[in-house]
């Protein structure tokens, strides 16, 4: 799923309710959805939320794109995802292609090898979108077969809020280091305090960056009648060897991750993102 240009907009006064109700957005998939978030069906909203997740993951949710999508700008911007580290010339000279970066399971791969951005919170109509993003900083290397192989059991990404909200849907999009994106994984936990998404991460015979979950974004749509401060936190859980992520427990400002063993795993939390604070 590659991004494409969305419907263009020109400098003009804010749209009236009648004007925004008739305006549409063409998503990168070719799906056409109403510009006004409150006019979208459940299927249209899911398509819009997936588009938002993809744009965030690819560092393409610019102020101009946000205007085209009809969403407010967050109070702070995310740092750009660093350029993927490719195998060095030295490594390519001493290692067979099948031995490059198949799995992230060597001792040097740790929580420090991954970025977990503080969640961003934006608004469109009466809907609020909170999105949490992660990305691997590099492509760790270790021996592996040429074919596609699992990196341990499922990993997962979760988001939580400091108070209960009305849950309007959750989406996750994962991308590889070559910016090819897809929907992947499954919604593992979902309630008024947040959601957790699980997915299998993969290694390939060339470099780990081929994995469709090399980087990704979880987007949670909500509404709330409260005007009080809303904060969001995110956490990522990574496993290798025979360890599996078996579930999330999500409460007010809390994320717990369950595993089938107590080894070959790590967890990493984000800083807080905020809205109206």
């Amino acid at each position: 799923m590659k991004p494409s240009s969305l419907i263009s907009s020109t400098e003009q006064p804010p749209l009236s309710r009648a004007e925004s109700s008739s305006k549409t957005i063409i998503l990168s998939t070719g799906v056409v959805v109403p510009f006004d978030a409150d006019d979208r069906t459940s299927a249209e909203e899911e398509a819009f939320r997936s588009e938002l997740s993809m744009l965030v993951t690819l560092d393409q949710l610019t102020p101009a794109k946000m205007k085209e999508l009809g969403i407010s700008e967050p109070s702070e911007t995310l740092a750009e995802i660093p350029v993927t580290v490719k195998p060095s010339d030295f490594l390519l000279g001493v290692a067979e292609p099948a031995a490059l970066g198949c799995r992230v399971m060597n001792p040097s791969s740790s929580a420090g090898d991954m970025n977990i951005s503080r969640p961003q919170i934006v608004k469109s109509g009466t809907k609020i979108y909170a999105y949490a993003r992660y990305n691997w900083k590099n492509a760790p290397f270790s021996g592996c077969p040429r074919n596609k192989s699992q990196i341990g059991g499922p990993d997962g990404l979760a988001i939580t809020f400091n108070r209960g909200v009305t849950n309007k849907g959750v989406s996750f999009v994962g991308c590889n280091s070559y910016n090819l994106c897809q929907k992947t994984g499954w919604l593992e936990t979902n309630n008024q305090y947040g959601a957790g998404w699980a997915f299998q991460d993969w290694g390939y015979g060339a470099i780990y960056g081929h994995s469709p979950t090399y980087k990704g974004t979880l987007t949670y749509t909500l509404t709330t009648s409260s005007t009080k401060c809303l904060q969001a936190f995110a956490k990522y859980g990574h496993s290798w060897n025979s360890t599996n992520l078996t579930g999330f427990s999500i409460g007010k400002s809390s994320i717990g991750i369950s595993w089938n063993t107590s080894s070959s795993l790590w967890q990493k939390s984000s800083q807080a993102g905020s809205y109206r604070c």
Side-chain angles (χ1 to χ4, degrees):
M1 179 168 65
K2 294 183 178 180
S4 62
S5 298
L6 304 177
I7 189 168
S8 61
S9 61
T10 58
E11 294 294 331
Q12 57 185 2
L15 296 173
S16 67
R17 173 64 177 154
E19 290 172 327
S20 64
S21 294
S22 62
K23 187 176 179 181
T24 58
I25 303 168
I26 303 174
L27 304 180
S28 62
T29 56
V31 174
V32 179
V33 303
F35 178 85
D36 193 319
D38 298 325
D39 291 339
R40 295 179 199 130
T41 64
S42 295
E44 290 170 338
E45 182 60 29
E46 182 179 1
F48 178 87
R49 195 169 50 243
S50 293
E51 181 87 353
L52 179 60
S53 295
M54 181 190 68
L55 290 171
V56 171
T57 305
L58 297 180
D59 267 333
Q60 294 179 356
L61 190 63
T62 63
K65 287 293 186 187
M66 298 182 83
K67 184 175 181 180
E68 292 171 4
L69 292 171
I71 56 179
S72 64
E73 292 188 38
S75 57
E76 58 184 355
T77 57
L78 293 173
E80 288 189 2
I81 295 177
V83 175
T84 302
V85 175
K86 299 298 191 301
S88 67
D89 291 337
F90 172 77
L91 186 60
L92 289 171
V94 299
E96 293 295 325
L100 298 181
C102 174
R103 50 193 173 166
V104 183
M105 59 178 293
N106 55 9
S108 64
S109 298
S110 67
D113 291 318
M114 173 179 284
N115 289 318
I116 305 290
S117 303
R118 68 180 68 219
Q120 299 277 268
I121 304 175
V122 297
K123 191 172 186 292
S124 178
T126 61
K127 292 187 171 73
I128 296 173
Y129 300 87
Y131 48 86
R133 186 191 76 182
Y134 76 90
N135 70 281
W136 287 92
K137 295 179 183 178
N138 52 25
F141 309 113
S142 63
C144 67
R146 291 180 181 273
N147 297 327
K148 178 178 178 180
S149 59
Q150 294 184 7
I151 304 170
D155 282 11
L157 178 66
I159 190 169
T160 182
F161 303 101
N162 64 332
R163 55 184 172 83
V165 298
T166 301
N167 185 331
K168 292 294 186 177
V170 185
S171 296
F172 175 84
V173 170
C175 305
N176 68 17
S177 64
Y178 300 97
N179 292 337
L180 297 177
C181 304
Q182 65 184 59
K183 297 178 183 179
T184 186
W186 58 94
L187 183 61
E188 206 286 328
T189 304
N190 193 24
N191 62 37
Q192 73 272 30
Y193 292 113
W197 199 277
F199 44 83
Q200 179 62 56
D201 53 337
W202 298 87
Y204 286 70
I207 64 170
Y208 173 63
H210 279 297
S211 172
T213 54
Y214 183 81
K215 52 190 176 183
T217 298
L218 175 67
T219 301
Y220 183 111
T221 306
L222 64 105
T223 59
T224 177
S225 59
S226 175
T227 58
K228 294 181 179 180
C229 170
L230 179 66
Q231 286 190 304
F233 309 85
K235 180 180 284 189
Y236 189 101
H238 175 64
S239 68
W240 63 97
N241 289 336
S242 60
T243 300
N244 297 323
L245 184 151
T246 58
F248 292 100
S249 56
I250 298 178
K252 182 179 177 181
S253 297
S254 68
I255 299 172
I257 303 179
S258 301
W259 307 90
N260 66 330
T261 68
S262 59
S263 61
S264 299
L265 63 91
W266 50 254
Q267 304 173 46
K268 186 169 185 177
S269 298
S270 74
Q271 298 293 323
S274 60
Y275 179 72
R276 292 175 177 165
C277 298

